[in-house]
Amino acid sequence: MIAAKFVNDESYCTKVFKYFMKQFREIFLESESSSRKLQIAVIAYGLFAKPCKLCLSENEVKLMLQNVIQKCEHTFLR
């Protein structure tokens, strides 16, 4: 649905996409994120896979995944 809307209104969709991606990224960068917030952010990244493919470069996606892995390691392997 998000990807279909993107085709019709690219500028607006890009702004909305970047807003949500910033919110999710902040969850991973916060030192005190709860496991529930992390779970929501991981699910959201999955739901945003197609818009990520449309809007982000390969390096940006790799950085996203690196943030996820580092936060999970930090949180669950202490």
Side-chain angles (χ1 to χ4, degrees):
M1 183 172 114
I2 295 171
K5 176 85 172 147
F6 178 80
V7 174
N8 297 331
D9 192 0
E10 184 176 341
S11 175
Y12 175 74
C13 288
T14 301
K15 288 177 186 176
V16 171
F17 170 76
K18 289 186 184 239
Y19 169 80
F20 281 108
M21 293 306 292
K22 181 181 177 206
Q23 298 301 312
F24 303 143
R25 187 176 305 117
E26 286 176 1
I27 291 171
F28 287 109
L29 298 178
E30 286 177 2
S31 61
E32 296 299 321
S33 293
S34 68
S35 60
R36 179 70 178 145
K37 285 176 85 174
L38 289 172
Q39 179 184 11
I40 291 169
V42 169
I43 291 170
Y45 271 1
L47 294 173
F48 275 64
K50 182 69 172 188
C52 286
K53 185 175 182 180
L54 295 172
C55 297
L56 300 178
S57 70
E58 182 179 340
N59 287 336
E60 290 173 308
V61 173
K62 286 180 181 179
L63 180 61
M64 277 175 42
L65 296 176
Q66 184 179 16
N67 287 338
V68 171
I69 291 168
Q70 286 177 345
K71 185 63 175 186
C72 290
E73 286 177 343
H74 180 274
T75 302
F76 299 111
L77 297 178
R78 291 189 224 184

